[in-house]
């Protein structure tokens, strides 16, 4: 009778052990799914945060500047009088981008549609959509989170400016954040 009782208890323990093993497998599978979902959600959150922290440029203004011998400056619209292009714009407020120095890449296209590059100030960078591009100038901006930041710099090319339309593109974080145009005219008889 004692042996039969122990065999019955042993059978119950074996059944309970199998049931616990099955439950453990189910919990392990559920845990793995939750971990995978969490990792995917975290990855998507980081991607969205990266995209959302990209700055945006607005109020893009390009002015041709004639620099006189005395150092005084005068705006001009003629190619032969232009000594520099003053590129100015505003970085809009962004509540996600952290404060600190930001690198902006500026690409200047001449009227023929070619990127203007000068040794020492030009180079290559990677865009998110178009692969690698050559930039004309790299601009360092000290950005403060949630604040509008004005940016202005002069760009001079070694050769004379050509008549026609110049196109300027501004990139940050691999994305194009703004573009502007400036048309330089041919000088007249008395220009």
């Amino acid at each position: 009778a004692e042996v039969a009782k122990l065999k019955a208890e042993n059978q119950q323990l074996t059944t309970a052990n199998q049931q616990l093993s099955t439950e453990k497998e189910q919990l392990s599978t559920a845990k793995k799914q939750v971990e995978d979902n969490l990792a995917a959600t975290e990855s998507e959150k980081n991607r969205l945060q990266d995209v959302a922290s990209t700055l945006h440029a607005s109020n893009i203004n390009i002015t041709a500047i004639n620099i006189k011998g005395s150092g005084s400056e005068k705006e001009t619209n003629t190619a032969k009088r232009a000594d520099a292009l003053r590129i100015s714009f505003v970085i809009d407020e962004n509540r996600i981008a952290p404060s600190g120095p930001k690198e902006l890449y500026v690409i200047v296209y001449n009227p023929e549609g070619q990127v203007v590059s000068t040794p020492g100030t030009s180079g290559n960078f990677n865009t998110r959509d178009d692969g690698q591009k050559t930039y004309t100038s790299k601009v360092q901006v000290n950005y403060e989170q949630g604040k509008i930041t004005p940016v202005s710099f002069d760009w001079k090319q070694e050769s004379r400016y050509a008549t026609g339309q110049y196109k300027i593109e501004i990139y940050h974080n691999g994305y194009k954040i703004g573009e502007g145009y400036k048309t330089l005219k041919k000088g007249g008889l008395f220009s």
Side-chain angles (χ1 to χ4, degrees):
E2 188 70 27
V3 171
K5 180 181 165 193
L6 288 174
K7 281 185 180 180
E9 285 179 7
N10 194 18
Q11 184 62 34
Q12 283 179 332
L13 289 173
T14 302
T15 304
N17 194 15
Q18 287 173 344
Q19 186 178 0
L20 287 173
S21 293
T22 304
E23 287 176 6
K24 180 184 173 205
E25 280 181 35
Q26 289 172 346
L27 287 173
S28 293
T29 303
K31 179 184 175 206
K32 175 90 172 93
Q33 286 176 336
V34 167
E35 286 173 348
D36 290 347
N37 287 344
L38 181 64
T41 302
E42 187 70 27
S43 173
E44 181 65 10
K45 176 190 156 240
N46 289 340
R47 186 190 72 77
L48 288 173
Q49 199 168 20
D50 178 47
V51 170
S53 69
T54 301
L55 302 175
H56 180 264
S58 62
N59 297 335
I60 299 168
N61 188 25
I62 303 151
T63 308
I65 303 291
N66 178 310
I67 302 171
K68 306 269 187 192
S70 64
S72 64
E73 298 177 348
K74 182 180 175 186
E75 287 186 25
T76 183
N77 285 321
T78 59
K80 102 177 182 185
R81 291 190 181 265
D83 294 316
L85 290 180
R86 179 159 294 148
I87 302 166
S88 61
F89 52 93
V90 172
I91 298 294
D92 298 331
E93 67 178 85
N94 185 318
R95 299 200 182 279
I96 296 173
S99 297
K102 306 288 183 206
E103 281 186 344
L104 304 178
Y105 296 97
V106 178
I107 302 174
V108 178
Y109 294 94
N110 64 19
E112 289 82 42
Q114 300 163 329
V115 174
V116 180
S117 61
T118 51
T121 59
S122 298
N124 294 323
F125 72 104
N126 289 319
T127 66
R128 304 279 180 114
D129 301 325
D130 302 324
Q132 194 172 56
K133 282 194 162 199
T134 300
Y135 64 86
T136 305
S137 184
K138 185 174 15 174
V139 180
Q140 193 84 350
V141 176
N142 196 14
Y143 179 75
E144 200 171 325
Q145 185 179 36
K147 302 249 171 133
I148 294 173
T149 307
V151 178
S152 179
F153 68 97
D154 291 350
W155 172 73
K156 297 178 184 178
Q157 69 180 26
E158 294 172 3
S159 60
R160 300 289 267 148
Y161 288 91
T163 58
Q165 187 177 62
Y166 283 81
K167 177 182 176 186
I168 284 109
E169 294 180 341
I170 305 160
Y171 282 81
H172 174 252
N173 201 15
Y175 293 105
K176 181 164 56 167
I177 62 170
E179 70 180 25
Y181 299 90
K182 177 65 177 178
T183 302
L184 296 179
K185 300 177 198 165
K186 182 177 182 179
L189 180 62
F190 299 106
S191 61

